[in-house]
């Protein structure tokens, strides 16, 4: 039997209705098991339990004692910023400020700005004392790279890459 197509319709042979006995022999048809859907009440209760569990995890005491500050799209290489961040990691807030004020690197300025912001967040949002703060975590991630061109001889251009970075500093209160 030849398949006849009319316009956008399927071939006539494909439109024929197959009996259940024929379905098992046709490989194009696959038996899909039916999944019993949960009732709406069970879904909503499971969803509410999931939300409550996430809220309890977010309200853990460890997360509440740590303040975070982000400074994004800072001009400067992440490697040069990491060199400064390595010096203040694990130090007290006051000691970190002194180190940053007297280090000779250009990257100290945005790091100091971020550290002051993290301490202000700790005091304002969490009610922590600045004298007891410690830099618990600090890192610099890569940001986008601004691409520029430097004119060279005979109409050529050499690429100039101006990297950006994202600075994150977390402070927490010491127990002692």
């Amino acid at each position: 039997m030849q398949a006849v197509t009319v316009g956008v319709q399927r071939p006539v042979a494909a439109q024929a209705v197959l009996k259940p006995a024929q379905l098992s022999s046709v490989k194009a048809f696959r038996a899909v098991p039916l999944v019993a859907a949960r009732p709406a009440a069970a879904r909503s209760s499971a969803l509410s339990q999931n939300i409550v569990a996430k809220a309890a995890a977010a309200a853990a005491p460890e997360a509440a004692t740590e303040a975070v500050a982000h400074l994004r799209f800072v001009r400067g290489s992440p490697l040069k910023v990491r060199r400064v961040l390595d010096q203040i990691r694990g130090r007290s807030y006051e000691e970190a400020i002194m180190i940053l004020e007297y280090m000779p690197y250009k990257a100290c300025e945005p790091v100091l700005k971020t550290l002051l912001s993290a301490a202000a967040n700790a005091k304002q949002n969490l009610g922590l004392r600045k004298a007891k703060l410690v830099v618990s975590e600090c890192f610099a991630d890569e940001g986008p790279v601004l691409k520029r061109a430097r004119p060279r001889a005979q109409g050529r251009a050499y690429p100039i890459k101006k990297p950006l970075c994202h600075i994150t500093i977390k402070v927490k209160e010491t127990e002692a």
Side-chain angles (χ1 to χ4, degrees):
M1 179 171 162
Q2 202 174 32
V4 179
T5 59
V6 179
V8 192
Q9 294 179 349
R10 292 183 178 178
V12 176
Q15 290 179 353
V17 179
L18 298 174
K19 295 178 183 173
Q22 294 172 326
L23 282 176
S24 62
S25 64
V26 178
K27 292 190 177 189
F29 293 94
R30 293 186 182 177
V32 179
L34 292 175
V35 178
R38 290 191 294 179
R43 273 188 304 217
S44 65
S45 67
L47 183 62
S48 63
Q49 288 174 354
N50 190 13
I51 291 172
V52 169
K54 285 183 180 178
E62 182 64 31
T65 60
E66 196 169 63
V68 184
H70 304 281
L71 187 60
R72 301 197 184 278
F73 303 103
V74 177
R75 275 284 285 117
S77 168
L79 291 173
K80 294 177 183 177
V81 174
R82 285 182 196 130
R83 174 177 60 186
V84 173
L85 291 174
D86 290 341
Q87 300 300 317
I88 65 166
R89 188 175 291 117
R91 308 237 182 190
S92 71
Y93 167 70
E94 294 167 345
E95 188 179 0
I97 287 177
M98 286 190 292
I99 289 171
L100 291 173
E101 285 178 348
Y102 292 106
M103 282 179 78
Y105 302 119
K106 182 183 169 187
C108 290
E109 186 179 328
V111 171
L112 179 61
K113 183 178 178 181
T114 312
L115 179 63
L116 293 173
S117 177
N121 289 343
K123 182 179 180 186
Q124 184 70 28
N125 301 337
L126 303 174
L128 304 179
R129 292 183 51 210
K130 287 185 178 181
K132 291 187 173 184
L133 292 179
V134 172
V135 178
S136 61
E137 191 177 347
C138 55
F139 52 89
D141 295 326
E142 280 188 19
V145 177
L146 303 176
K147 293 177 178 137
R148 303 291 183 258
R150 176 159 180 84
R152 300 297 290 188
Q154 299 180 7
R156 295 189 178 104
Y158 280 7
I160 295 176
K161 294 180 181 176
K162 298 185 176 189
L164 303 176
C165 68
H166 306 306
I167 302 171
T168 304
I169 295 181
K170 296 182 182 181
V171 293
K172 66 179 181 181
E173 198 169 39
T174 58
E175 293 80 20

